[in-house]
Amino acid sequence: MACESEAACLVPADSARGNLTMATLSLSGIGKRFGGHIALSDVSLEVRSGEFICLLGASGCGKTTLLRIIAGLEQHDHGEILLEGRDLSAVPCHQRNIGMVFQSLALFPHLNVADNVAYGLKMQGVDKDSRQRRAAELLALVGLAGFDTRAVASLSGGQRQRVAIARALAQEPQLFLMDEPFSALDAGLRDRLQQEVKKLQQALGVTTVFVTHDQREAMALADRIVVLNEGRIEQAASPAEIYQHPASRYVADFIGDNNLIDIQVSGQRVQIGASELVVNDAAMTDRQGSQLLSVRPEQVNVSAIADHHDGLTGQLIMQRQVGALVEREIEVNGQLIKQTCFHHSAGGFETGQPVAVSWDWSRVWVVPA
Amino acid sequence: MGLVPGLGGASVIRSDRAATGLVSLFSFAILAVFFLIPLAFMVVVSFYKPDPMGFYQVAFSWENYAKYFSSFYLNVTLRSLWSAGVSAVLVVVLAFFAVLAIVDLSRRWQLFWAVLLLSLMCISEVIVGFSWLILLSESAGIPRLLEVLGLWDDPRSLSPSFGAMLIGLVTLGISIVMLILLPEAANRDRSIEEAAQTLGTPPLRVVFNITLPIFAPTLLALTLTMFIYLIGVFVMPTMLGRPSDWTMTVMISDKALGDANLPLGAALAVAMLIITVVVMLLSTMVSRRRLL
């Protein structure tokens, strides 16, 4: 029975776990050029055993190239790839024992569902009975029990996705790679499959590298997110760390909505455009001179201007209600500041009205230079 | 054409249907004039009697078909089916692997091959035949080259022969098949082959385990098309084959034009047409069962 609507259907029985082993992946100084274009530049990364890593970045940042290099589908120009201490640099793709789910899923159209899942086992020389038994176990694991003899062309998008996952897991890979596997699915199904894949990965404990350009997907799935930009790692950290403490202007701008504000710090005085504020937060005033301030829209407070207000003021340019949230744009010293808050706590302001703008200095973040 | 509201809309739809019907009728008329009428004429003539003074005498006789069932013409039929079948398979196999190699080349080299193949298609069958005659000749061709290289002490002309005839037939068909396969091979989803590699398949086995089965329906259709095309080729068997290699096409021409025996030529052509259709239907049925 298919379980496209049951988020919990991918919980493996012990038999379905097979001999999946956790493995550490170590990338060191990986570089790759395509003609004159540098796709990857000195990429180094340690993926812990059983960890779920998301490679996140805009199109062309090198995330898929890195995944393909790990899989052995591209040859890197320099650097070292170690999987559980074994150097993979000279090991051809078909000998790496890495399971991969492709963006197009790449199911074999001339084979039925069970034969797709059992294909890798056939290549390993596993006898037919064992192959069929294992394929049936994996299909049950992904909620497709009884689909063995169906043609892959007759499956829905979500069912194909499950077959691709089962096929990649059948050979009990040391490493599980996924290249934007949910990009072609509608939002609801994508959310459900994300939950299922996360549960499956946690239950099996297989080390996983997942490529996506969708930061929401990365936040939902990853133990650690690796943000790539122009072939370099900008930051590798937990989703919360990446969001709250972005390591560079690129990450601060790329991850989530953000207000990036150029400030000038001198002693306890902080200059923002034409306004000068006195800030008593030690962590803030530790860094002197020109700095970049990252203030998330939900950290911004908007209030009416009091009689003796000496903080930032601005003009409310735009406001709109999006479900339970209110989104606003306030022009402060010529810069647009975005604010998000819950509708019930938004207060009543008219568009065009002058307002006071503030934030908790202990919670905002100075982006490292 | 816009749809007019009310009854006017219905009349517009009717006139559109009438226009479509007119175009279909025109196509059918062309088909009838250039194919069905000559075919019907051939079938009728195949029952006439030959006239030593002219082409035929109007009559109804099975004599020509009785001759067809002599061992001589049955042998020629089998030979024709064999040479067309072998050359069709060779054409498709060679073209398939050549195309897989070409689509992995740079864009510039792919364009070069596409232009070369188009050029090959433009060359007359007779010119291709003569080219192979020269290349396979003892004095100026490949045998001579092998002698100069010290690889063949006693060079002889390689034509006429069955092999030479096959080479000619393959040359005729290969550019057509390669041009048909090129876009499909270039646009195929390579990630399917890559997936097979990640599942433990060595690159060469990927071609046989994955690429070939995926292309199987296309290759089968091309083989049947080539079979029909090559069974009707006249120039290559006459130029590059021995008389013992000549196919039914040569025999039909020989009887109809050389011996002025149009009824026998027509009967041979009708018999060959029926056998070709039967062979095609059987191979389609067998291959469908295998593919399903």
Side-chain angles (χ1 to χ4, degrees):
Chain A
M1 184 189 76
C3 66
E4 210 154 89
S5 60
E6 297 167 28
C9 71
L10 293 182
V11 180
D14 285 345
S15 60
R17 274 187 59 96
N19 296 317
L20 279 165
T21 52
M22 294 192 264
T24 54
L25 173 70
S26 172
L27 307 176
S28 165
I30 301 293
K32 175 71 182 173
R33 267 176 182 272
F34 291 109
H37 171 68
I38 299 172
L40 290 172
S41 177
D42 198 27
V43 171
S44 297
L45 180 69
E46 294 285 331
V47 184
R48 291 184 289 273
S49 179
E51 193 176 19
F52 196 125
I53 285 278
C54 272
L55 302 179
L56 176 66
S59 296
C61 71
K63 55 189 188 297
T64 294
T65 303
L66 184 58
L67 196 80
R68 290 173 61 80
I69 285 172
I70 296 169
L73 295 169
E74 296 282 355
Q75 186 61 46
H76 51 294
D77 298 333
H78 54 82
E80 191 179 55
I81 306 170
L82 299 177
L83 183 61
E84 204 58 27
R86 176 191 177 210
D87 187 0
L88 293 184
S89 301
V91 179
C93 173
H94 66 277
Q95 290 174 356
R96 290 194 180 192
N97 191 23
I98 287 174
M100 184 161 174
V101 177
F102 290 76
Q103 188 170 11
S104 67
L105 302 184
L107 297 177
F108 305 134
H110 60 295
L111 300 181
N112 66 25
V113 168
D115 288 343
N116 261 276
V117 175
Y119 180 86
L121 299 174
K122 190 177 177 185
M123 288 298 105
Q124 287 177 346
V126 176
D127 66 87
K128 194 175 178 183
D129 286 346
S130 304
R131 287 202 308 260
Q132 285 176 338
R133 197 166 48 247
R134 178 76 178 144
E137 282 170 8
L138 282 161
L139 285 173
L141 172 69
V142 298
L144 291 178
F147 279 64
D148 308 47
T149 55
R150 290 271 292 270
V152 289
S154 68
L155 303 181
S156 69
Q159 288 166 341
R160 286 173 187 221
Q161 203 80 44
R162 293 164 197 277
V163 175
I165 291 169
R167 184 181 69 176
L169 290 172
Q171 54 178 349
E172 292 158 2
Q174 286 184 291
L175 187 63
F176 190 37
L177 308 178
M178 302 181 90
D179 184 10
E180 305 205 42
F182 306 138
S183 59
L185 302 179
D186 63 71
L189 182 56
R190 189 163 60 229
D191 281 353
R192 282 201 298 276
L193 281 170
Q194 282 169 9
Q195 290 174 35
E196 291 178 17
V197 163
K198 182 67 181 172
K199 281 182 182 171
L200 182 70
Q201 192 272 337
Q202 283 173 339
L204 298 176
V206 61
T207 311
T208 303
V209 182
F210 189 103
V211 162
T212 182
H213 66 271
D214 180 349
Q215 49 183 282
R216 191 175 177 278
E217 186 168 71
M219 293 274 178
L221 286 172
D223 297 326
R224 208 149 47 104
I225 295 175
V226 179
V227 181
L228 284 158
N229 178 34
E230 295 182 345
R232 290 178 182 278
I233 292 179
E234 291 275 342
Q235 188 173 7
S238 70
E241 179 71 7
I242 292 251
Y243 187 76
Q244 290 161 11
H245 302 137
S248 67
R249 175 186 275 269
Y250 177 83
V251 177
D253 195 31
F254 183 70
I255 300 289
D257 260 350
N258 211 348
N259 296 297
L260 293 176
I261 303 164
D262 290 310
I263 59 172
Q264 190 74 33
V265 184
S266 175
Q268 287 193 315
R269 295 185 175 281
V270 176
Q271 182 94 27
I272 302 175
S275 304
E276 190 174 86
L277 310 171
V278 176
V279 176
N280 292 318
D281 186 80
M284 178 59 57
T285 52
D286 271 355
R287 297 178 182 181
Q288 298 290 301
S290 293
Q291 302 291 345
L292 181 69
L293 193 63
S294 159
V295 184
R296 295 289 177 186
E298 65 273 16
Q299 294 171 330
V300 175
N301 300 313
V302 172
S303 56
I305 301 173
D307 287 347
H308 302 292
H309 177 72
D310 58 355
L312 289 174
T313 57
Q315 188 176 20
L316 186 57
I317 299 296
M318 183 280 288
Q319 59 180 344
R320 63 179 180 183
Q321 187 174 347
V322 183
L325 299 176
V326 171
E327 293 177 353
R328 292 188 175 121
E329 283 183 2
I330 305 115
E331 188 180 334
V332 178
N333 292 325
Q335 182 173 359
L336 279 181
I337 302 287
K338 289 175 275 190
Q339 189 225 6
T340 307
C341 61
F342 283 109
H343 177 246
H344 62 78
S345 60
F349 299 99
E350 296 295 323
T351 304
Q353 178 184 337
V355 290
V357 175
S358 62
W359 49 77
D360 181 349
W361 286 95
S362 66
R363 293 182 61 205
V364 296
W365 175 248
V366 176
V367 179
Chain B
M1 191 180 289
L3 194 66
V4 184
L7 289 174
S11 72
V12 168
I13 290 170
R14 270 201 299 277
S15 73
D16 279 353
R17 279 185 187 158
T20 311
L22 211 62
V23 170
S24 303
L25 195 68
F26 179 73
S27 305
F28 182 76
I30 293 286
L31 189 72
V33 169
F34 291 102
F35 177 71
L36 292 178
I37 292 175
L39 181 68
F41 179 71
M42 189 174 71
V43 173
V44 170
V45 168
S46 70
F47 290 102
Y48 290 174
K49 285 190 169 181
D51 181 354
M53 303 304 291
F55 276 159
Y56 51 74
Q57 289 175 354
V58 175
F60 183 81
S61 163
W62 289 100
E63 185 185 328
N64 301 313
Y65 287 99
K67 280 183 185 166
Y68 173 77
F69 285 102
S70 70
S71 64
F72 175 74
Y73 286 115
L74 286 179
N75 271 337
V76 175
T77 302
L78 289 176
R79 190 192 306 150
S80 304
L81 295 174
W82 171 248
S83 58
V86 168
S87 45
V89 170
L90 275 175
V91 163
V92 173
V93 169
L94 291 173
F96 175 65
F97 287 102
V99 161
L100 286 187
I102 289 171
V103 295
D104 280 342
L105 299 173
S106 66
R107 299 288 292 176
R108 183 181 292 183
W109 280 107
Q110 284 185 37
L111 186 68
F112 166 79
W113 277 102
V115 171
L116 189 73
L117 292 170
L118 277 169
S119 311
L120 265 176
M121 282 180 69
C122 299
I123 299 173
S124 145
E125 204 176 315
V126 177
I127 303 292
V128 173
F130 268 120
S131 304
W132 277 116
L133 265 181
I134 294 165
L135 281 170
L136 298 173
S137 69
E138 181 184 336
S139 54
I142 294 166
R144 173 81 180 129
L145 180 69
L146 292 175
E147 185 192 19
V148 170
L149 293 173
L151 298 171
W152 197 358
D153 294 336
D154 181 25
R156 278 163 292 160
S157 177
L158 294 171
S159 71
S161 66
F162 182 72
M165 186 178 80
L166 278 189
I167 290 173
L169 292 173
V170 168
T171 313
L172 279 186
I174 199 162
S175 54
I176 302 167
V177 174
M178 283 176 76
L179 279 169
I180 294 170
L181 280 175
L182 259 176
E184 195 174 332
N187 297 328
R188 73 187 194 274
D189 182 358
R190 306 261 183 142
S191 65
I192 295 176
E193 291 157 33
E194 291 175 347
Q197 282 192 58
T198 64
L199 293 166
T201 322
L204 191 61
R205 278 188 74 183
V206 169
V207 176
F208 292 99
N209 283 8
I210 305 297
T211 318
L212 196 56
I214 290 174
F215 271 82
T218 306
L219 297 182
L220 185 75
L222 283 171
T223 307
L224 287 175
T225 309
M226 273 298 112
F227 174 76
I228 295 164
Y229 169 61
L230 293 174
I231 209 166
V233 169
F234 174 77
V235 173
M236 292 302 167
T238 46
M239 287 181 82
L240 298 170
R242 297 163 299 185
S244 59
D245 301 318
W246 284 358
T247 57
M248 189 58 91
T249 317
V250 182
M251 294 299 164
I252 292 167
S253 169
D254 187 46
K255 291 297 150 194
L257 302 176
D259 296 354
N261 189 346
L262 197 60
L264 180 57
L268 295 178
V270 170
M272 206 58 204
L273 181 69
I274 292 167
I275 286 170
T276 307
V277 170
V278 169
V279 168
M280 266 189 57
L281 289 175
L282 284 176
S283 47
T284 309
M285 278 165 59
V286 170
S287 57
R288 266 193 190 165
R289 273 192 196 163
R290 283 195 181 167
L291 289 174
L292 287 176

